[in-house]
Amino acid sequence: MLFDTHAHLNAMQYSEDVEEVIQRAQHEGVSYIVVVGFDRPTIARAIDLAEQHDFIYAAVGWHPVDAIDMTDEDLHMIEQLAAHPKVVALGEMGLDYYWDKSPKDVQKEVFRKQIALAKKVKLPIIIHNREATADILTILQEENAQEVGGIMHCFTGSFEVAKQCIEMNFYISFGGPVTFKNAKKPKEVAKEIPLEHLLIETDCPYLTPHPFRGKRNEPSYVKYVAEAIAELKGISFEEVAWKTCENAKKLFGINR
Ligand SMILES: [Zn+2]
Ligand SMILES: [Zn+2]
């Protein structure tokens, strides 16, 4: 029983073989997948996939890299889709200071608007953070994001930052980097933070875990993330798989 809490099966990298990728995931014990939309086409595709497959759910939001493109109509569309029975979260949203397509002030405004919307529709949020930790924490605090909580996706920050996020009602989600030999920080955090605050994800097609690093990622590889966490904590793979799955179901309000 594995829950991939962050997959982009809506990406063009799967346009040829998405059904095979989904079958492989089921075959490898993946019981739930959240497909995350981040702009107009990927939101539409996430909804399609969630409607076509029982065990696939959708998150809808606007990525900070493309913040400059988000219109009021887009925000309205996200609000409408929040009522869809298979939509379990808003996101991904956040700040990305690595790419400079969207100015920081625009990113912040789009992030704040989506947090406000999440509070209105009462859905948890999925946070994307790249080189913007201090501003992310400030905005989560100022907007009282604690009210809805959510996920710090593909977390690579420090133990101290992880603790602050947990205090604000957020889960810490690990992806491929926790399996990389040179990834000191994620390994340390995964070891120290109690399992009840952890989730697992692939963020596929990116960030492929060891031993497939460099190849296209897919949900069936989420087991390698669970294995790495089990090894770091000195507990069984089954315990990590089961508890992270229970955590995700609770957060997303999934009862099946
Ligand atoms: Zn992301
Ligand atoms: Zn993502």
Side-chain angles (χ1 to χ4, degrees):
M1 192 187 255
L2 291 156
F3 198 135
D4 184 354
T5 60
H6 196 113
H8 297 294
L9 294 177
N10 47 358
M12 61 177 181
Q13 284 89 336
Y14 303 105
S15 55
E16 302 284 314
D17 64 346
V18 74
E19 291 305 320
E20 286 161 48
V21 170
I22 289 168
Q23 274 178 22
R24 243 184 339 260
Q26 277 193 301
H27 189 75
E28 296 292 327
V30 179
S31 310
Y32 306 87
I33 300 173
V34 171
V35 174
V36 179
F38 50 86
D39 62 9
R40 272 163 235 131
T42 60
I43 287 171
R45 183 75 182 127
I47 298 289
D48 281 348
L49 287 165
E51 286 177 347
Q52 288 159 8
H53 300 273
D54 265 6
F55 80 117
I56 294 182
Y57 295 81
V60 294
W62 208 267
H63 203 283
V65 169
D66 301 315
I68 198 156
D69 300 326
M70 195 187 83
T71 63
D72 288 346
E73 287 75 46
D74 294 322
L75 195 66
H76 185 66
M77 168 193 67
I78 292 169
E79 179 167 0
Q80 303 271 294
L81 287 173
H84 189 290
K86 296 299 288 286
V87 169
V88 292
L90 294 197
E92 56 188 296
M93 62 177 78
L95 302 172
D96 190 318
Y97 293 168
Y98 179 79
W99 303 104
D100 57 9
K101 178 183 166 186
S102 299
K104 287 182 184 179
D105 57 334
V106 176
Q107 291 193 33
K108 287 179 185 173
E109 194 192 329
V110 164
F111 185 24
R112 286 184 194 274
K113 280 183 181 170
Q114 292 185 85
I115 298 172
L117 177 57
K119 287 161 67 180
K120 186 175 167 191
V121 299
K122 297 186 167 53
L123 282 177
I125 56 181
I126 298 174
I127 307 295
H128 171 102
N129 169 23
R130 195 160 181 194
E131 299 180 6
T133 302
D135 286 355
I136 294 256
L137 292 174
T138 302
I139 290 176
L140 290 177
Q141 252 143 19
E142 286 178 359
E143 298 296 326
N144 194 26
Q146 184 161 0
E147 206 178 297
V148 286
I151 303 174
M152 306 304 292
H153 115 80
C154 203
F155 190 81
T156 53
S158 68
F159 179 65
E160 281 308 313
V161 171
K163 277 202 300 191
Q164 287 182 58
C165 296
I166 289 165
E167 274 165 29
M168 283 193 283
N169 209 11
F170 280 79
Y171 285 90
I172 307 298
S173 181
F174 288 106
V178 79
T179 69
F180 300 165
K181 288 203 168 60
N182 55 357
K184 254 186 88 180
K185 261 198 286 182
K187 284 187 194 297
E188 180 197 313
V189 176
K191 191 179 170 196
E192 298 300 328
I193 299 284
L195 201 50
E196 66 191 89
H197 301 298
L198 300 188
L199 298 174
I200 53 175
E201 65 173 87
T202 54
D203 200 18
C204 64
Y206 317 105
L207 295 168
T208 311
H210 176 78
F212 296 107
R213 196 174 177 179
K215 302 219 170 69
R216 185 186 70 171
N217 198 358
E218 60 173 65
S220 65
Y221 296 166
V222 77
K223 66 180 176 186
Y224 297 108
V225 177
E227 272 172 13
I229 294 172
E231 198 183 320
L232 287 161
K233 288 189 166 310
I235 56 178
S236 70
F237 167 81
E238 286 74 18
E239 190 177 354
V240 174
W242 176 79
K243 186 59 184 166
T244 54
C245 188
E246 288 298 304
N247 291 345
K249 285 170 69 177
K250 187 172 143 201
L251 174 70
F252 294 131
I254 295 172
N255 302 309
R256 55 173 278 273

